Amino acid sequence: MDVSARTEDGVTVAVLQGEFDAHHSDGVLEELAKVEPGPGGLVLDMSGVSFLDSAGISALIRLREQNPEGTVSITNPSTPVKRVLGIVGLLEIFGLDPA
């Protein structure tokens, strides 16, 4: 899984590409720990994530818990990611419209 980051208008955007699963979740968290959230928070662009399993979901929840002061949200989730987040009830927690 590839992780890259950029800052736009005070918001740090981390772009995730690949499968967010048990094999990659710890590495993703390690890479995201190196990213300094901007004043506007951290946005995860998940348009390039093709697969999300329970380990990936757990990593997202841990990331959110590690940033209680800042905002962690998701943008552009791929269809499989949005479906999984909807099933487990995490769409609204990460700032996504459940519709």
Side-chain angles (χ1 to χ4, degrees), residues 37-85:
L42 175 64
V43 176
L44 305 175
D45 182 336
M46 298 186 72
S47 59
V49 178
S50 58
F51 180 78
L52 178 67
D53 71 2
S54 60
I57 293 167
S58 177
L60 289 172
I61 292 169
R62 283 186 283 162
L63 181 65
R64 182 115 167 125
E65 290 172 349
Q66 292 169 359
N67 293 282
E69 299 292 322
T71 302
V72 177
S73 60
I74 294 173
T75 189
N76 302 321
S78 64
T79 300
V81 168
K82 189 168 185 179
R83 183 174 48 239
V84 169
L85 292 176

Side-chain angles (χ1 to χ4, degrees), residues 1-3 16 20-35 42 44 54-67 72 94:
M1 169 150 243
D2 295 320
V3 179
L16 309 180
F20 200 172
D21 57 13
H23 185 69
H24 298 102
S25 62
D26 288 338
V28 171
L29 284 179
E30 288 173 13
E31 288 299 313
L32 290 174
K34 299 174 189 175
V35 174
L42 175 64
L44 305 175
S54 60
I57 293 167
S58 177
L60 289 172
I61 292 169
R62 283 186 283 162
L63 181 65
R64 182 115 167 125
E65 290 172 349
Q66 292 169 359
N67 293 282
V72 177
F94 285 102

